[in-house]
Amino acid sequence: ITMRVEWGGQQLTGAVTGHLTGAVVIRDFHARFDSGLIRQLLPLYIGGRVIASFSEIAIASGQPLSIDGEILWQNAVWTAAAGDVPLGDYQLRLSSDHNRVKGRVNTLSGALIVAGDIVAAESNYEIDLDLSGPAARNPELANALQLLAVPSPTGFDMVVQGRF
């Protein structure tokens, strides 16, 4: 199935193939949407634009077989009661090997410097990020970050493990 969806500023394109084995492969997947859409699914007070681009995503039995692509978060902001806190532009580069998804987070620009890794294997995940920069000293953002991260000399260390 070849799909192309445009709704306002949201765009989604790609080709989906289903195999007799039950595997689903999505090729040439591209998506563009306002990150406020994420607020409809998760209680995250964020803004900005998300652009996803993947050459391939293959899934079987709910587990990733392969993935190759990236997610960009542009003009990211944290929406605080006192006003938006500009964060920056970020890249999450995703790849896979042996049914394990690996991700590398990099800051392209901005006041919150984020760097680290994400790993998902079987039903487990681990997020290990360092957060620093001027935005990490914003009192309201710092209070929010402390829900998931531990203060460090340069900002915050976020290490989260779990199952999905």
Side-chain angles (χ1 to χ4, degrees):
I1 299 171
T2 300
M3 64 181 160
R4 180 173 181 83
V5 177
E6 291 187 36
W7 182 37
Q10 314 339 302
Q11 298 174 342
L12 178 73
T13 61
V16 180
T17 304
H19 295 271
L20 294 175
T21 62
V24 175
V25 179
I26 305 169
R27 288 195 170 80
D28 300 322
F29 176 80
H30 301 280
R32 179 182 298 259
F33 57 91
D34 184 280
S35 63
L37 185 63
I38 295 169
R39 272 185 269 168
Q40 304 304 314
L41 306 171
L42 300 169
L44 298 175
Y45 298 98
I46 58 173
R49 187 133 192 90
V50 176
I51 300 170
S53 182
F54 291 88
S55 60
E56 180 177 274
I57 303 169
I59 301 168
S61 302
Q63 300 296 317
L65 298 176
S66 67
I67 189 165
D68 183 34
E70 70 178 12
I71 300 171
L72 299 174
W73 185 17
Q74 298 176 325
N75 301 315
V77 296
W78 181 69
T79 56
D84 290 351
V85 177
L87 302 177
D89 297 322
Y90 306 94
Q91 175 190 50
L92 171 59
R93 178 80 181 110
L94 293 165
S95 62
S96 61
D97 65 10
H98 307 295
N99 297 338
R100 185 176 77 158
V101 174
K102 301 180 296 183
R104 179 77 183 149
V105 177
N106 291 301
T107 301
L108 302 176
S109 66
L112 181 66
I113 310 302
V114 181
D117 298 300
I118 297 171
V119 177
E122 297 178 9
S123 297
N124 300 306
Y125 68 88
E126 181 175 336
I127 301 169
D128 186 354
L129 302 174
D130 293 320
L131 302 101
S132 62
R137 294 187 291 276
N138 176 290
E140 289 186 27
L141 180 59
N143 283 340
L145 289 174
Q146 288 185 47
L147 295 173
L148 293 173
V150 175
S152 72
T154 59
F156 292 90
D157 290 330
M158 179 186 293
V159 179
V160 180
Q161 297 175 337
R163 297 181 61 80
F164 50 83

